Amino acid sequence: MLLHLPRMDGYGTEPRVKNGPALAGHGAEAVRDAIATTITTLPGQLRQTLTWDRGKEMAQHAQLTIDTGIQIYLADPHSPWQRGTNENTNGLLRQYFPKGTDLARWNPGELDAVAAALNSRPRKTLAWKTPAEALNEHLLSIQNNGVATTP
């Protein structure tokens, strides 16, 4: 799932305030709100934890936990292996959005198309299944394990 972070009110019209909100849309409040809005669309079994790096955009992690019930784990500094799948996905995203790209120029529909393309791409870590196939299998197993069978 890719999150669209729209420009915040005041972007380009108000002077930047030192230690104030990041009006470009990357601020901790914008990230918190985008994650909360998007992640709560998932079934509860899939939104129990989130592991993040220690960037300033996650400064609202405690409030995100309060808002969503998701336990947030912060990776140790300079330890990308603690978020291996995330780091791999970041590399795949660079094929669509080179480093330094202004992501504000893409709308949510365009980000959804990129997410769909990546979710349709087989991954070695998933035994060459696509993320969409692996998610579907997992959701079916949750559904089947939660239903009583009649002998």
Side-chain angles (χ1 to χ4, degrees), residues 3 7 15 29 44 52-53 57 59 72 90-91 121 129 143:
L3 306 177
R7 298 286 190 201
E29 294 85 4
W52 205 269
D53 63 14
E57 70 277 0
I72 307 293
N90 287 345
R121 183 175 180 167
K129 295 177 193 160
Q143 183 179 6

Side-chain angles (χ1 to χ4, degrees), residues 98-149:
K99 195 162 183 80
T101 299
D102 180 6
L103 296 176
R105 60 185 270 207
W106 281 278
N107 65 43
E110 292 167 322
L111 293 179
D112 289 345
V114 171
L118 292 178
N119 288 331
S120 300
R121 183 175 180 167
R123 307 272 180 100
K124 182 178 180 180
T125 189
L126 298 173
W128 299 110
K129 295 177 193 160
T130 68
E133 291 168 336
L135 176 61
N136 188 52
E137 284 181 16
H138 182 69
L139 291 173
L140 287 173
S141 74
I142 291 170
Q143 183 179 6
N144 291 338
N145 289 335
V147 176
T149 58

